[in-house]
Amino acid sequence: MRASATACSNIAFIKYWGKRDFDWNLPLNDSISMNLSAAVTTTTVEWDPALRQDEIYLEGERVLDDRGLRVSRYLDRIRADWYRMYARVASVNSFPAGTGIASSASGFAALASAALGAFGEDLPSEVEMTRWARRGSGSACRSIQGGFVEWTAGDDDESSFSQQFCPPDHWDLTDLVVLVSRSPKAISSSQGHRIASGHPFMAERQKLLPARILALKGALAQRDFQVFGEIVEHEAMEVQGIMLSGEPSALYLQPGTVSLLHAVRSWREEDGLPVYFTLDAGPNVHILCESKDAPELRRRIDKLAPRAEILENRAGPGARLHDDHLF
Ligand code: DP6
């Protein structure tokens, strides 16, 4: 009763920020993302009737802290629907730990796939799998399928799921993730969602989103990079505005973040390079371009921030089961 799965993280073009239900990770709004080919998690799960508790290993180390507890609580949900058995779980990331890349998206997409795959029966449908991933971490909902994905907020556990909007080869986009800082964030995503859900600007944001989502989907379908980039950058700044002006305020931007944002705008506005950025709940900058422009942008980023690590991503595949077990 063992299975392994690999899943990509994803970057949201329209963000999930604020929840209507914290137990089931039901979001306030629909969101749209692209899977990140270079940011993946591989997880092996073995259900073992001889175990008296779950054994969780992250990056080769047994974990007994909050991270292990979060995985065990998630396995409780699976046990409630399937078999009452404890599991051995090992998980590794392709990207360095503690860099602010959303490992919960790739992590819970891989965990859901491996944990259900290890029962040795056919996996539930893909859409059903997105609901299982969402119960672990909201953004993981968008990492089950490949390429460009839309998560429909819905209004209960049944109606909140993701669907692929375009496959990975639809558009050759690159996301250059510049790892600006490794210091842990002062306000976690979970806390951030709580603060955002009560924010006075949120009601206004919800009114603006349907038209923005429609326009973004149009730009993606037509591969219109300028319209796409304008919408994505504006969306990132609106969400940062809510983070900055929350109570308490979440200041995720570091000096290195801000200098990259200025640089991207000057490369675009002064040098005519088609490049835009987006941000998550952290200091890293996601620099978005068509892949033909990636080498030139890498040169410019290296010059501006010679010591910064860069993760170069294309639109990645969906979660998949395989036989390269971690134990
Ligand atoms: C800023 O999915 O990490 O990356 O559901 O509490 O696990 P939980 O939150 P999480 O939130 C991600 C927030 C974001 C935006 C996004 O990915 O849409």
Side-chain angles (χ1 to χ4, degrees):
M1 294 190 83
R2 183 176 57 158
S4 296
T6 294
C8 296
S9 185
N10 66 71
I11 179 65
F13 300 143
I14 300 289
K15 310 283 178 189
Y16 151 51
W17 199 240
K19 306 188 195 191
R20 76 174 65 202
D21 182 302
F22 287 81
D23 287 336
W24 295 95
N25 292 332
L26 301 179
L28 289 179
N29 54 266
D30 297 353
S31 55
I32 294 182
S33 61
M34 179 181 93
N35 277 9
L36 297 178
S37 62
V40 304
T41 300
T42 295
T43 300
T44 298
V45 175
E46 181 174 40
W47 298 102
D48 181 348
L51 287 178
R52 290 288 157 263
Q53 57 178 347
D54 295 319
E55 279 179 20
I56 321 287
Y57 299 83
L58 299 181
E59 307 291 347
E61 300 272 330
R62 175 107 190 248
V63 291
L64 298 158
D65 58 12
D66 284 358
R67 295 169 301 163
L69 205 64
R70 188 172 175 187
V71 171
S72 268
R73 286 223 183 97
Y74 180 69
L75 296 178
D76 286 343
R77 285 210 162 145
I78 294 183
R79 282 188 274 266
D81 271 29
W82 267 274
Y83 307 100
R84 301 194 181 235
M85 225 183 285
Y86 291 106
R88 198 169 290 110
V89 177
S91 192
V92 294
N93 293 326
S94 71
F95 46 93
T99 47
I101 300 289
S103 59
S104 69
S106 51
F108 278 97
L111 179 62
S113 306
L116 296 185
F119 289 131
E121 299 164 19
D122 285 344
L123 282 182
S125 71
E126 242 184 35
V127 162
E128 177 65 13
M129 285 305 297
T130 73
R131 296 168 63 233
W132 271 109
R134 187 203 75 233
R135 294 166 190 148
S137 174
S139 53
C141 185
R142 300 183 308 239
S143 279
I144 293 292
Q145 294 133 323
F148 303 85
V149 175
E150 180 177 21
W151 172 12
T152 303
D155 38 35
D156 56 15
D157 181 51
E158 186 66 32
S159 56
S160 187
F161 55 80
S162 289
Q163 280 171 304
Q164 185 185 65
F165 173 64
C166 295
D169 63 1
H170 168 72
W171 197 5
D172 196 5
L173 287 186
T174 291
D175 176 6
L176 295 165
V177 187
V178 187
L179 305 176
V180 168
S181 161
R182 286 174 186 243
S183 35
K185 26 186 190 183
I187 295 189
S188 70
S189 296
S190 307
Q191 261 178 296
H193 281 291
R194 277 185 198 279
I195 301 165
S197 304
H199 195 292
F201 295 174
M202 200 40 105
E204 204 53 39
R205 168 167 164 76
Q206 296 309 316
K207 286 187 217 156
L208 296 168
L209 276 174
R212 189 178 302 159
I213 289 173
L214 213 61
L216 180 79
K217 286 168 78 174
L220 274 171
Q222 289 161 28
R223 304 184 194 88
D224 185 331
F225 189 68
Q226 190 181 342
V227 173
F228 162 82
E230 299 286 343
I231 295 168
V232 169
E233 202 171 293
H234 173 72
E235 162 74 2
M237 288 311 220
E238 180 174 291
V239 173
Q240 286 298 317
I242 289 175
M243 292 166 171
L244 288 164
S245 56
E247 286 184 81
S249 157
L251 175 54
Y252 294 119
L253 313 178
Q254 295 288 335
T257 316
V258 178
S259 68
L260 271 163
L261 304 188
H262 282 290
V264 167
R265 287 201 171 162
S266 97
W267 296 336
R268 183 170 76 233
E269 287 162 11
E270 281 150 42
D271 306 341
L273 261 175
V275 56
Y276 293 86
F277 62 75
T278 186
L279 297 155
D280 257 348
N284 299 327
V285 183
H286 292 250
I287 297 187
L288 301 166
C289 63
E290 291 184 280
S291 297
K292 65 178 169 49
D293 296 318
E296 171 63 18
L297 284 160
R298 275 202 85 125
R299 269 193 294 280
R300 288 176 181 235
I301 299 163
D302 282 338
K303 209 163 144 199
L304 189 80
R307 281 187 302 278
E309 202 172 327
I310 302 172
L311 273 186
E312 183 165 341
N313 299 278
R314 304 280 188 277
R320 62 181 183 95
L321 289 169
H322 54 75
D323 291 331
D324 293 328
H325 305 300
L326 295 173
F327 57 84

